[in-house]
Amino acid sequence: NEGNEYFREKDYGRAVAAYTEGLRKRCEEPELEAVLYTNRGAAHFYLGNYRSALNDAIQAKKLKPTHLKAIIRGALCHMELKNFSEAIVWCEEGLQIDSKEKKLVETRAKADKLKLEGTRLETGTDFSTHWQGRAVMGTDLLCERNIKLVLEPSNEEEEISDGLAELSLDGFHSDNVTGAKVHLDADGNLNWPVLFLYPEHEQTDFIAAFNENSRFIDHLMVMFAELPPWDLERKYLPSNLELYFEDEERAEMYKLNPEHTLLQVLQHPRYFVKAGTPTILAFVKHSPFSKKYFSGKKVHRL
């Protein structure tokens, strides 16, 4: 429970320590030990400790061979470690358990492609490295994705820059509210810091590295695997949430499909990334608060 609490708070280092302490108790319940290994592996994964995360996935799978979360985690670890053949094996094993598991289907296809192309990618490529002395490359990365960035917004007027010449080499914007930086990973994907707002409770969540090709529902499943302590009415369940972004210029709201990826949302004609941090608002479906919040507002569906 302590590990899960730290995990929800994105304090993955302490989560690893808590899950490790749980494993030291040797409760001799394979089911619980498999969960501890899987959860610790997830925390290691978000810390970038892919080898440790893979070892935990292996241990969890030994304890519970049909544990799908452990298999998915193992496949993702192999992808990060560039072991594409092994990733395919793990995906195949998981697909025998659930042939429609979307994450495994996608990972299998990606592993096949990278293995076929014989791609050799430098691990841990930093976004700023690509931009060192060449701001135009940063411009190209966003232009080819049709992502619009707001630089130096003022209270009176927001200025949309055509280029990114003012772009800081160590992040999109010096005033980035989270302190995290967008970066390009070894697979050529942008990973963004994303802020989730819960207006009803004046709470926030922060994901330091949201892969542009990840779906919102996948993150919601992790963020709300257990209900947050401030959700006293126990209504913040992944299936019970609606996500929106706001077009401040037009004072209009856009409702997202949780199955959409971050990139699909960022590419919307009315989405503008401010201060280098995409922001998403979350509401409980049909709640009195959301009905009042949206009263008089124009809402579009993506």
Side-chain angles (χ1 to χ4, degrees):
N1 289 338
E2 183 179 313
N4 289 349
E5 187 67 30
Y6 284 131
F7 194 96
R8 282 197 300 271
E9 295 171 359
K10 314 296 186 295
D11 192 342
Y12 301 118
R14 288 184 179 177
V16 167
Y19 293 134
T20 300
E21 195 62 31
L23 286 165
R24 284 177 182 157
K25 299 298 181 183
R26 301 189 182 281
C27 66
E28 297 183 354
E29 292 182 23
E31 186 84 17
L32 179 55
E33 289 202 353
V35 170
L36 283 166
Y37 274 117
T38 302
N39 289 5
R40 189 175 72 173
H44 271 309
F45 187 89
Y46 285 111
L47 287 169
N49 303 332
Y50 303 124
R51 181 63 62 185
S52 295
L54 177 59
N55 290 336
D56 280 345
I58 291 171
Q59 292 300 321
K61 192 156 70 80
K62 284 181 180 177
L63 289 163
K64 186 180 178 184
T66 60
H67 196 16
L68 207 53
K69 284 187 178 180
I71 294 173
I72 293 172
R73 181 66 57 198
L76 294 176
C77 288
H78 277 303
M79 291 295 291
E80 292 293 337
L81 294 167
K82 308 297 175 274
N83 303 329
F84 303 125
S85 296
E86 290 84 348
I88 291 171
V89 172
W90 278 65
C91 288
E92 284 297 319
E93 191 171 344
L95 290 170
Q96 288 179 10
I97 299 169
D98 183 354
S99 62
K100 296 181 180 179
E101 168 53 52
K102 186 169 183 178
K103 194 66 179 177
L104 288 174
V105 172
E106 292 175 348
T107 303
R108 168 63 201 268
K110 186 175 180 180
D112 275 333
K113 180 181 178 183
L114 292 175
K115 182 183 177 184
L116 183 64
E117 293 175 351
T119 307
R120 296 292 181 266
L121 297 171
E122 181 181 348
T123 304
T125 303
D126 189 270
F127 205 19
S128 60
T129 302
H130 286 258
W131 287 355
Q132 196 73 34
R134 291 188 298 169
V136 65
M137 186 169 289
T139 307
D140 292 342
L141 284 168
L142 296 189
C143 285
E144 69 186 19
R145 288 168 166 80
N146 295 318
I147 295 175
K148 296 161 292 299
L149 186 73
V150 176
L151 290 177
E152 301 297 328
S154 68
N155 293 329
E156 300 175 356
E157 181 180 359
E158 292 177 356
E159 180 180 350
I160 308 301
S161 174
D162 292 329
L164 298 181
E166 304 167 55
L167 196 59
S168 167
L169 289 178
D170 62 352
F172 271 128
H173 198 281
S174 59
D175 296 329
N176 185 308
V177 293
T178 62
K181 306 166 187 175
V182 63
H183 66 275
L184 192 72
D185 65 22
D187 295 328
N189 299 316
L190 290 181
N191 289 262
W192 294 83
V194 175
L195 195 64
F196 284 81
L197 307 180
Y198 310 109
E200 182 173 0
H201 295 277
E202 298 183 348
Q203 297 287 334
T204 63
D205 252 328
F206 172 60
I207 297 176
F210 193 130
N211 188 294
E212 63 182 351
N213 293 315
S214 293
R215 302 178 304 165
F216 282 92
I217 186 61
D218 296 327
H219 283 280
L220 291 178
M221 294 298 287
V222 174
M223 292 157 62
F224 294 98
E226 291 190 13
L227 295 174
W230 44 263
D231 180 20
L232 301 179
E233 297 180 32
R234 304 179 65 81
K235 55 187 181 181
Y236 276 73
L237 303 169
S239 60
N240 203 31
L241 296 178
E242 292 181 337
L243 304 178
Y244 296 82
F245 74 79
E246 185 173 9
D247 182 346
E248 295 182 7
E249 182 181 334
R250 298 180 180 177
E252 298 175 351
M253 303 290 290
Y254 287 82
K255 184 179 178 182
L256 317 186
N257 181 342
E259 298 289 332
H260 279 168
T261 64
L262 175 61
L263 180 58
Q264 286 176 297
V265 173
L266 297 184
Q267 289 176 330
H268 190 276
R270 295 305 304 170
Y271 197 98
F272 301 95
V273 179
K274 298 181 180 180
T277 306
T279 301
I280 302 296
L281 291 85
F283 300 85
V284 173
K285 292 178 183 177
H286 312 304
S287 70
F289 178 88
S290 64
K291 289 179 181 178
K292 182 178 179 181
Y293 187 93
F294 290 108
S295 177
K297 285 187 172 69
K298 187 173 183 179
V299 178
H300 304 271
R301 289 177 180 271
L302 264 65

